[in-house]
Amino acid sequence: MTESRIWTAALIVIGDEILSGRTQDKNIAQVASWLNVQGIRLREVRVVPDVMDAIVEAVNTLRARNDYLFTTGGIGPTHDDITVDAIAAALGVEVEIHPKARAVLESYYTTRGGLTEARLRMARVPAGADLIENRMSGAPGIKAGNVFIMAGVPAITAGMLDALTGTLEGGLPLLAGTVGAWIGETEMADLLRETERTHEGVSIGSYPFFREGKVGANFVVRSTDAAVIDECLDLIANGIRALGREAVPGGI
């Protein structure tokens, strides 16, 4: 683990059903949370349709400016699952049947109707790629360079992330602490800005809300150093009290 280096990742969510609103994505939150534990920051997310050129452009852009790129969706058995083809095109390689993936699928489908041509599509990988274990449905994920190709089904994605745990190089996990108050965020803006400026490596987010006919806000401090987080939370809480309001540890 390299503590001083900040490792970054991007996520591409692939699928017309996400963009149409028919399916609500649940993978962004779980990928982001998992990456934080690995000491990797999720820097950007892009949602793209099942269109070859759109996937190729997104893959080449995001893999170039991040240490890791994850994709979810589009690796199933149907004709419109084109993620593997698109990523192979982005990497400039051919698509091939991975022998271990084929063996895994043959075993999985022995009592489930056999390995059909459609199911065999799930053994296709960009040439030279490695596999990511999938204990739930047999069809593995794929690692091609710094690109990690995973399923769109959140439960299957979770299993693939579990299989990757501890295998990627990262830095210190990103920690967070929260304090809330029934206060307008504009009243705290100067203090938040100054607190962030004077504490290296700290990021402070302000999240306003309107409840019970009143305006409030939660202030989230993020850093790799728990002591620095506590120091910043104390400064923010004291600022809230100085304005005659109650500071609520953990947020409202």
Side-chain angles (χ1 to χ4, degrees):
M1 181 177 68
T2 306
E3 296 185 3
S4 59
R5 175 156 160 16
I6 296 177
W7 296 77
T8 67
L11 171 64
I12 300 174
V13 179
I14 299 168
D16 294 335
E17 71 279 3
I18 302 295
L19 289 167
S20 71
R22 290 192 300 272
T23 300
Q24 293 186 355
D25 178 80
K26 297 180 180 179
N27 281 319
I28 295 173
Q30 73 167 342
V31 170
S33 297
W34 180 85
L35 285 168
N36 278 341
V37 174
Q38 310 307 308
I40 302 166
R41 313 285 179 86
L42 181 60
R43 286 299 196 203
E44 50 192 322
V45 178
R46 189 180 297 192
V47 184
V48 300
D50 296 300
V51 174
M52 178 75 70
D53 290 346
I55 299 172
V56 170
E57 190 276 330
V59 167
N60 279 333
T61 298
L62 299 184
R63 73 185 178 96
R65 66 184 182 212
N66 291 279
D67 297 297
Y68 306 109
L69 171 62
F70 290 78
T71 73
T72 60
I75 58 171
T78 60
H79 72 283
D80 59 342
D81 289 310
I82 61 170
T83 297
V84 168
D85 302 83
I87 292 178
L91 298 177
V93 299
E94 298 295 322
V95 174
E96 63 185 18
I97 299 293
H98 195 291
K100 183 177 179 181
R102 178 174 189 141
V104 167
L105 290 168
E106 284 178 340
S107 175
Y108 181 82
Y109 285 111
T110 296
T111 59
R112 297 175 174 85
L115 184 60
T116 63
E117 284 299 313
R119 290 168 172 172
L120 184 60
R121 283 180 56 82
M122 294 185 289
R124 300 166 73 249
V125 304
D130 297 317
L131 302 181
I132 304 170
E133 184 179 4
N134 171 14
R135 303 182 186 94
M136 177 173 288
S137 64
I142 304 162
K143 176 185 179 300
N146 70 335
V147 182
F148 297 81
I149 308 166
M150 300 184 297
V153 178
I156 298 177
T157 300
M160 291 179 178
L161 291 172
D162 184 60
L164 286 172
T165 295
T167 66
L168 304 186
E169 190 171 4
L172 290 172
L174 187 65
L175 308 175
T178 304
V179 61
W182 294 102
I183 194 170
E185 65 172 344
T186 55
E187 297 179 72
M188 297 293 295
D190 290 341
L191 176 60
L192 298 178
R193 188 181 304 110
E194 182 64 14
T195 301
E196 188 176 82
R197 185 187 69 80
T198 55
H199 292 80
E200 186 177 356
V202 165
S203 171
I204 301 177
S206 176
Y207 303 96
F209 56 82
F210 184 79
R211 301 179 199 158
E212 304 170 22
K214 297 184 294 183
V215 171
N218 288 312
F219 308 106
V220 181
V221 181
R222 298 179 177 87
S223 171
T224 58
D225 189 326
V228 172
I229 289 176
D230 289 341
E231 181 179 326
C232 291
L233 289 174
D234 285 343
L235 288 170
I236 296 170
N238 288 337
I240 292 169
R241 296 186 190 105
L243 293 171
R245 316 297 172 81
E246 179 187 359
V248 182
I252 297 173

